[in-house]
Amino acid sequence: MLKIRTLPKTLQTLPYFSCQKSTHRFFSQAPPAYGDAPRIKYDADKLLDKFKKYVAPIRPKIVLPEAIDGRVLKAARAAHDSFCDITLVCRSGDEDTVRKEAQKYKVDLSGIELFGVTSHPDYKKLSKLLEEARKGKKVPDTTDPLVFANMMVKNNLAQGSVAGAITSSGDTVRHAIQVI
């Protein structure tokens, strides 16, 4: 059972603490046990099928900035075949490494765009836009595939970016916040 400590009179007079007496009843009750909470049941396959059915006619463009990972390449092929258009982004000069990795994992890259960051046709324009948007702040490395993928989303060249297979969650979120 939770109990509220009595606050000093000086704090009780402030408007923020004026609801102390009304909330006392709430906090003095024990929370329900974890097992008592209602469970939501769903079938993951049905949920995925509904998602694909909704998204397939739209065919959104998704950017995958971790193209050097075999798992990402397999996922890119599966997603491209079923519901979206995929663009793989890697560091400039790593395009051959990505192709070798695709051969190693027996992934066909036909129909999937593959770009090194600086070889993308809109690289200079997107870099300039990011510099203007972050004027007075530190500009992230625009040659980083994760940053470039987010720049593509920000400027409506793609509808989404999926990352986190080889990049930490912190880096993934930080770059998204800095760019988008």
Side-chain angles (χ1 to χ4, degrees):
M1 182 192 294
L2 280 170
K3 290 190 177 183
I4 291 183
R5 243 178 59 199
T6 306
L7 298 172
K9 293 221 181 245
T10 54
L11 291 177
Q12 289 178 7
T13 58
L14 296 173
Y16 178 77
F17 294 102
S18 63
C19 63
Q20 179 198 7
K21 290 181 182 172
S22 63
T23 58
H24 176 71
R25 195 175 322 119
F26 175 77
F27 285 113
S28 63
Q29 296 173 356
Y34 176 73
D36 296 343
R39 293 185 182 257
I40 299 172
K41 294 183 179 179
Y42 66 92
D43 183 5
D45 292 332
K46 285 182 183 177
L47 185 65
L48 187 59
D49 289 342
K50 282 184 180 180
F51 173 76
K52 286 179 182 178
K53 187 177 181 181
Y54 174 76
V55 175
I58 301 168
R59 294 279 310 168
K61 186 173 192 173
I62 305 297
V63 182
L64 302 177
E66 299 170 324
I68 59 171
D69 188 350
R71 298 170 299 164
V72 172
L73 295 173
K74 287 180 181 180
R77 179 79 265 160
H80 183 77
D81 289 344
S82 60
F83 63 91
C84 65
D85 294 326
I86 297 290
T87 300
L88 296 171
V89 178
C90 62
R91 291 201 179 271
S92 294
D94 282 349
E95 294 94 337
D96 291 331
T97 307
V98 172
R99 287 188 188 93
K100 286 178 187 173
E101 194 74 10
Q103 287 176 348
K104 176 181 168 186
Y105 285 94
K106 298 179 174 102
V107 176
D108 180 22
L109 293 180
S110 62
I112 297 176
E113 294 180 326
L114 172 62
F115 289 107
V117 174
T118 56
S119 63
H120 191 278
D122 294 324
Y123 171 72
K124 289 182 181 178
K125 180 181 92 171
L126 295 177
S127 295
K128 191 176 284 188
L129 288 172
L130 181 63
E131 287 174 13
E132 290 172 8
R134 295 206 38 101
K135 188 181 275 186
K137 299 177 187 174
K138 182 181 177 189
V139 178
D141 179 17
T142 57
T143 61
D144 183 349
L146 192 57
V147 173
F148 186 74
N150 289 320
M151 289 183 342
M152 289 178 70
V153 172
K154 166 120 174 119
N155 293 289
N156 296 321
L157 296 175
Q159 284 70 45
S161 171
V162 179
I166 59 175
T167 307
S168 70
S169 299
D171 287 344
T172 303
V173 172
R174 181 171 23 89
H175 289 306
I177 290 171
Q178 286 177 338
V179 175
I180 297 174

